[in-house]
Amino acid sequence: MCGILAVLGCIDNSQAKRSRIIELSRRLRHRGPDWSGLHCHQDCYLAHQRLAIVDPTSGDQPLYNEDKTVVVTVNGEIYNHKQLREKLTSHQFRTGSDCEVIAHLNKTSKLHFSVNHFLSFPDVVHVHLYYHFLINMSAGELRRWYNPPWYSEHIPSTPYDPLVLREAFEKAVIKRLMTDVPFGVLLSGGLDSSLVASVASRYMLQSEAACQWGSQLHTFCIGLKGSPDLKAAREVANYLGTRHHEFHFTVQEGLDALEEVIYHTETYDVTTIRASTPMFLMSRKIKSLGVKMVLSGEGSDEIFGGYLYFHKAPNKEEFHQETCRKIKALHLYDCLRANKSTSAWGVEARVPFLDKEFINIAMSIDPEWKMVRPDLGRIEKWVLRNAFDDDQKPYLPKHILYRQKEQFSDGVGYSWIDGLKDHANEHVTDAMLMNASFVYPENTPTTKEGYYYRAIFEKFFPKNAARSTVPGGPSIACSTAKAVEWDAAWSKNPDPSGRAALGVHECAYEEAVDEKNANLINGTTTAI
């Protein structure tokens, strides 16, 4: 989870300018605390802060080809780098880094570029998603080069094959076991993280990582004492036989970390901050144990329609289009959270569900199979659950495999979100919320919690360029604004928590929740 700074078209090549670039690059050092590198060529600078996962001893960046006509800095993983090296027999490699193959592939593949061409291509739909553009400096072009079949939102018709889906996911997990440093799995006890842990544990013994770090998988979970996630994760860890690490935090500790969380995640989105805070605290604990890489379960809910509001999808066409919208926006929400919450402490998160081949297979399934159908016994993400429902060699206990979706910010303990709302109510008055449109005319916060986060964000990032990078609009249980239209009642309770999915979540809010804030925004409350 490295940090990269590129300065292009800089006519000043003085030592003072070089020092300034080093100073700016240093602000990314939390992402890559292991080494720093800087390359200057004519009017261009490439600076790199490295988090060493593969070949920690010699893989420092920037990396070069033989004659140094190609220079690369990379934030990502090349999981097939060994196979690529075998094909590049005429090339001389200087390091064991997986990323060095990019410099040598330049002249032998479609990745060709010159000193006036700059590529940004991490693992495309990854936690550091969505920088998948090619920039041609000479022509002034910005072109998207990753165009998967699902991007057009065309409705697919491939029949559902559970074994094909299972095999694709297992391959996605296995390839992400590539590491030369200690690693583990983030295990919340929900379906997605439990499947990641199950597959990783099942194939751990066969991996090269096992030769260095042993065959017992490490798993990590965080929550308030007595939270749903802690209990479920403990049960899954015992079932799989992992070495489980359980971390606790208090509401006050979470509140104390909010400013740091908003600084590192660079957002004021409510649901992202709710979920990022416990992940931020957990990442610090994980790093203290010497672990530098973790597997995580992000992306599944977007691909399979796992959020509880998908229960109200009116037809398969709208269901599929919503999943496409959710995947395209991952870099603003869950991927942003997983990326920046972990990298704040120099930990890399890898996400098997966002493997390109797996996404293509999962998104090609006729969405009729993904629809929630109580009459057929199909709950959310049934196609995924069914694919791993193996009575002969079970992956998970049945009740975990069919556990209802619990958003991370809810699963760490329901009192966490309640505590955040109470804290915001203490710091944001009714008058402040009523006048929010004057203070924040762009992307105006509609709740006291949102107002509180926005005020902290503006303290760190006061420029319009920063605030405009954060999405807005109504949301119910993490939906897009479009999906709020699926149920008229949702507009009365626009909260991103899964508990806002009234009539779906087992512990749903009362319908009167946030009614006062709604009245304030609509101007129907007269007493302040």
Side-chain angles (χ1 to χ4, degrees):
M1 203 63 70
C2 308
I4 297 174
L5 171 65
V7 181
L8 313 177
C10 179
I11 59 175
D12 182 0
N13 61 359
S14 65
Q15 181 59 41
K17 178 60 67 175
R18 184 182 181 92
S19 297
R20 174 60 173 163
I21 291 170
I22 291 173
E23 176 192 350
L24 292 173
S25 178
R26 195 178 297 128
R27 299 183 185 182
L28 298 171
R29 187 165 292 173
H30 58 277
R31 295 183 62 89
D34 297 330
W35 199 252
S36 303
L38 177 63
H39 177 84
C40 175
H41 177 82
Q42 297 178 2
D43 61 349
C44 301
Y45 290 84
L46 283 177
H48 188 268
Q49 302 291 340
R50 186 187 184 206
L51 178 64
I53 304 295
V54 176
D55 185 23
T57 56
S58 68
D60 299 329
Q61 299 190 32
L63 296 163
Y64 306 87
N65 65 345
E66 292 88 345
D67 58 7
K68 294 193 175 182
T69 55
V70 177
V71 187
V72 296
T73 58
V74 184
N75 179 24
E77 303 79 34
I78 312 300
Y79 295 115
N80 63 336
H81 75 104
K82 290 186 178 180
Q83 295 92 320
L84 292 172
R85 282 173 183 258
E86 292 174 358
K87 297 178 181 179
L88 299 169
T89 54
S90 62
H91 291 258
Q92 180 181 353
F93 288 83
R94 294 183 173 87
T95 77
S97 169
D98 55 313
C99 297
E100 189 182 351
V101 295
I102 297 174
H104 299 281
L105 283 170
N106 171 54
K107 295 181 179 179
T108 59
S109 74
K110 295 179 181 178
L111 296 181
H112 181 73
F113 59 99
S114 70
V115 73
N116 288 323
H117 292 69
F118 295 86
L119 290 178
S120 179
F121 50 99
D123 194 5
V124 182
V125 192
H126 202 295
V127 289
H128 34 276
L129 171 137
Y130 229 41
Y131 313 106
H132 54 269
F133 293 93
L134 183 149
I135 306 170
N136 186 332
M137 292 293 288
S138 58
E141 295 178 337
L142 180 63
R143 178 167 56 86
R144 191 180 77 242
W145 61 270
Y146 177 61
N147 290 288
W150 55 266
Y151 208 89
S152 67
E153 300 186 13
H154 176 74
I155 310 302
S157 58
T158 304
Y160 166 57
D161 187 329
L163 294 182
V164 170
L165 190 65
R166 181 200 296 184
E167 182 181 346
F169 182 67
E170 289 184 327
K171 287 180 178 178
V173 173
I174 292 168
K175 76 164 64 170
R176 283 162 177 77
L177 300 180
M178 179 188 75
T179 178
D180 292 329
V181 299
F183 76 103
V185 174
L186 303 185
L187 177 61
S188 69
L191 172 67
D192 307 327
S193 65
S194 296
L195 283 179
V196 173
S198 179
V199 174
S201 180
R202 182 169 294 207
Y203 291 96
M204 180 73 172
L205 190 60
Q206 305 169 24
S207 70
E208 292 184 11
C211 299
Q212 298 185 67
W213 311 111
S215 59
Q216 187 178 29
L217 184 69
H218 289 252
T219 52
F220 309 95
C221 185
I222 192 169
L224 305 176
K225 286 187 177 180
S227 70
D229 277 3
L230 289 180
K231 179 182 177 182
R234 196 181 309 127
E235 182 177 358
V236 173
N238 290 337
Y239 182 83
L240 299 176
T242 70
R243 185 169 182 181
H244 191 56
H245 307 266
E246 185 176 291
F247 307 125
H248 301 145
F249 78 104
T250 65
V251 172
Q252 187 59 56
E253 287 170 335
L255 295 174
D256 291 342
L258 280 177
E259 291 205 3
E260 272 190 289
V261 170
I262 292 172
Y263 172 77
H264 280 286
T265 57
E266 301 173 302
T267 187
Y268 49 84
D269 175 66
V270 170
T271 187
T272 302
I273 294 170
R274 288 175 175 180
S276 293
T277 304
M279 197 169 195
F280 175 85
L281 296 173
M282 177 169 56
S283 298
R284 186 176 189 180
K285 289 280 192 179
I286 289 171
K287 187 59 180 288
S288 73
L289 297 175
V291 173
K292 296 172 68 175
M293 186 273 282
V294 292
L295 303 186
S296 192
E298 279 75 18
S300 174
D301 290 313
E302 287 74 14
I303 295 169
F304 296 106
Y307 293 109
L308 296 184
Y309 72 89
F310 276 95
H311 281 244
K312 300 295 182 74
N315 52 60
K316 72 175 187 179
E317 289 79 14
E318 290 206 39
F319 188 106
H320 180 73
Q321 289 164 1
E322 175 71 0
T323 61
C324 293
R325 288 191 292 266
K326 290 293 291 181
I327 297 173
K328 292 176 184 179
L330 269 168
H331 63 298
L332 300 171
Y333 298 103
D334 281 24
C335 280
L336 181 147
R337 165 180 55 78
N339 172 8
K340 297 185 177 182
S341 297
T342 55
S343 63
W345 300 106
V347 176
E348 175 175 292
R350 295 180 179 177
V351 282
F353 281 106
L354 296 180
D355 179 83
K356 294 189 293 296
E357 287 74 22
F358 178 76
I359 292 179
N360 287 341
I361 289 173
M363 292 300 289
S364 70
I365 299 172
D366 186 333
E368 183 65 40
W369 287 95
K370 296 181 181 180
M371 294 279 287
V372 178
R373 292 286 304 275
D375 57 316
L376 298 177
R378 297 180 190 171
I379 63 173
E380 68 278 356
K381 292 188 287 192
W382 177 85
V383 293
L384 180 64
R385 301 175 195 271
N386 181 66
F388 285 90
D389 194 348
D390 188 334
D391 291 330
Q392 300 300 317
K393 294 182 179 180
Y395 286 79
L396 294 168
K398 288 277 190 182
H399 64 282
I400 295 293
L401 192 60
Y402 290 93
R403 181 189 176 196
Q404 186 181 57
K405 165 65 185 172
E406 193 75 88
Q407 288 171 209
F408 184 54
S409 53
D410 288 323
V412 297
Y414 295 147
S415 58
W416 167 234
I417 291 180
D418 297 339
L420 285 170
K421 291 182 175 182
D422 291 343
H423 184 72
N425 287 336
E426 294 174 3
H427 290 80
V428 179
T429 65
D430 291 350
M432 291 167 69
L433 187 62
M434 273 194 68
N435 292 294
S437 60
F438 300 104
V439 182
Y440 304 117
E442 298 176 356
N443 218 350
T444 304
T446 58
T447 66
K448 291 184 177 181
E449 185 184 4
Y451 190 108
Y452 183 71
Y453 300 154
R454 180 67 173 272
I456 297 173
F457 178 90
E458 294 283 342
K459 181 171 67 173
F460 292 121
F461 311 108
K463 302 292 186 180
N464 185 58
R467 69 176 68 97
S468 64
T469 64
V470 182
S475 176
I476 191 78
C478 288
S479 75
T480 65
K482 176 67 176 175
V484 174
E485 301 172 5
W486 291 350
D487 190 318
W490 285 348
S491 62
K492 303 175 184 177
N493 189 35
D495 190 290
S497 168
R499 288 186 290 161
L502 303 177
V504 178
H505 195 288
E506 294 169 355
C507 298
Y509 290 139
E510 296 294 332
E511 297 205 23
V513 164
D514 285 340
E515 183 178 351
K516 179 180 179 182
N517 284 346
N519 288 339
L520 286 170
I521 296 301
N522 294 329
T524 56
T525 298
T526 55
I528 302 297

